[in-house]
Amino acid sequence: MNRNKSFDNKGPLLYLVATPIGNISEISKRALDVLNEMDIIAAEDTRNTKSLLNNYGIEKEYFSLREHNENEASEHLIKLLKAGKKIAYVSDAGYPGISDPGYLLVCNAIKEDIKVSTVCGSCAFINALVASGLPTNHFYFYGFLPPKDNETKNELGILKNHNETLIFYESPHRVLKTLKIMFEVLGARKAVLARELTKLNEEYIRGTLEELSEINPDTLKGEMVIIIEGQNEEIKIDDNELLDRVGYFIKKGLSTKDSIEVVSDETGINKNYIYKLAHK
């Protein structure tokens, strides 16, 4: 067990600073104060971050940490932190680590006993969820689905029996195809498409997946958040179907243990029950 107080002034501290998701006025005073105090600002895209902070008269040394160099860049930043440099990391929009780089940086920092603290701000999926009109008490954030259609169908097949509200990110050039696959796998559930959040053209489109999948694609611009209601019907699956499903994933190369966990996630049925069935 390891307990760290973020602000005891002992040892290095890495800041993770959430940035605006559209409207640049939504950056907080505390975020600006923290970024102003830093020696180095590490960023997913230094050009975007420099453009944002130029609006507030902040000029700093920038360092690039992207998805494809995160491990190597993390090692360099950790050396600088240990040498006494004050460093914050920001992604292009929203929170670092939420469908953006940052996770590996945090893990590497923690391994080196470097404290990590978050400066809060906008988050696209939270903004979309609370205004969606769909249940907010329990939700499952997935992020971006895989690029291949068959992989997307498999992932949605695993998620379709979740009772929680489901949340996805999607890009404008793929969103209609994704919505059609969602309708095919999940049926005509209630759903909300939120786009251009916090910007002048912010829009919430509410309907069923069937209705959303028929929208004119020319009217869908900007980054998207898709919110879908969870499974509300009681699922009835007999033991033979459960065993067949476990067998399917074993043939796909998963271990028996992992196959049982996937089927449990798919169906909501206790994995210990499925384990006992599989080992009769």
Side-chain angles (χ1 to χ4, degrees):
M1 183 172 71
N2 188 3
R3 296 177 63 172
N4 277 320
K5 289 189 175 181
S6 297
F7 308 115
D8 62 4
N9 296 319
K10 296 176 183 177
L13 169 63
L14 169 67
Y15 280 101
L16 305 173
V17 182
T19 53
I21 60 175
N23 188 326
I24 65 169
S25 298
E26 291 199 335
I27 194 164
S28 70
K29 180 180 183 302
R30 181 174 179 238
L32 293 173
D33 288 344
V34 167
L35 292 171
N36 225 348
E37 292 171 6
M38 297 298 103
D39 298 311
I40 299 169
I41 297 174
E44 180 184 8
D45 188 319
T46 55
R47 294 165 302 178
N48 290 345
T49 302
K50 187 175 182 180
S51 176
L52 170 68
L53 296 186
N54 279 347
N55 287 281
Y56 298 97
I58 297 176
E59 295 184 8
K60 294 289 175 179
E61 178 183 343
Y62 292 94
F63 180 82
S64 176
L65 185 150
R66 309 178 308 279
E67 179 183 358
H68 300 299
N69 77 339
E70 188 169 352
N71 254 328
E72 298 84 355
S74 296
E75 291 175 8
H76 181 68
L77 290 175
I78 285 166
K79 288 178 183 176
L80 293 174
L81 283 161
K82 286 184 171 181
K85 294 291 186 180
K86 296 180 180 179
I87 299 175
Y89 179 66
V90 300
S91 55
D92 281 354
Y95 280 76
I98 302 297
S99 290
D100 273 331
Y103 169 71
L104 294 178
L105 173 61
V106 171
C107 288
N108 289 332
I110 292 170
K111 284 179 186 176
E112 296 295 325
D113 203 29
I114 292 171
K115 294 171 289 187
V116 182
S117 183
T118 304
V119 179
C120 61
S122 297
C123 178
F125 84 80
I126 294 294
N127 282 36
L129 174 64
V130 297
S132 69
L134 294 176
T136 59
N137 54 335
H138 299 289
F139 58 88
Y140 185 101
F141 172 68
Y142 186 94
F144 287 95
L145 286 159
K148 295 183 179 179
D149 291 358
N150 62 330
E151 293 175 356
T152 291
K153 289 178 183 178
N154 287 338
E155 290 299 300
L156 290 172
I158 292 170
L159 296 171
K160 69 179 180 181
N161 292 323
H162 279 238
N163 294 321
E164 306 93 341
T165 299
L166 304 175
I167 309 173
F168 304 89
Y169 284 162
E170 192 50 277
S171 59
H173 72 276
R174 279 191 39 179
V175 67
L176 216 54
K177 179 190 284 188
T178 298
L179 286 166
K180 289 180 185 298
I181 294 173
M182 287 174 165
F183 171 50
E184 178 186 338
V185 177
L186 303 177
R189 298 189 189 187
K190 291 179 183 177
V192 178
L193 183 63
R195 68 179 194 91
E196 297 283 80
L197 295 173
T198 76
K199 299 179 182 178
L200 184 63
N201 292 316
E202 177 178 284
E203 182 179 23
Y204 287 86
I205 308 172
R206 299 177 176 88
T208 66
L209 282 174
E210 182 176 16
E211 291 170 334
L212 296 183
S213 69
E214 296 173 349
I215 295 173
N216 180 350
D218 294 336
T219 66
L220 298 178
K221 297 178 181 178
E223 295 301 308
M224 310 283 175
V225 184
I226 303 170
I227 317 283
I228 305 172
E229 70 174 342
Q231 170 64 260
N232 293 319
E233 297 176 3
E234 183 180 352
I235 304 165
K236 295 181 179 180
I237 303 174
D238 66 33
D239 291 350
N240 288 330
E241 288 180 284
L242 290 173
L243 292 174
D244 287 345
R245 197 66 178 149
V246 170
Y248 168 80
F249 287 110
I250 290 173
K251 288 178 182 177
K252 289 285 186 180
L254 295 184
S255 67
T256 301
K257 179 177 178 292
D258 288 343
S259 298
I260 288 169
E261 289 184 357
V262 170
V263 174
S264 177
D265 285 340
E266 277 189 345
T267 62
I269 295 173
N270 187 285
K271 65 182 177 182
N272 290 331
Y273 178 82
I274 303 172
Y275 179 88
K276 289 176 182 177
L277 277 180
H279 290 82
K280 276 186 178 180

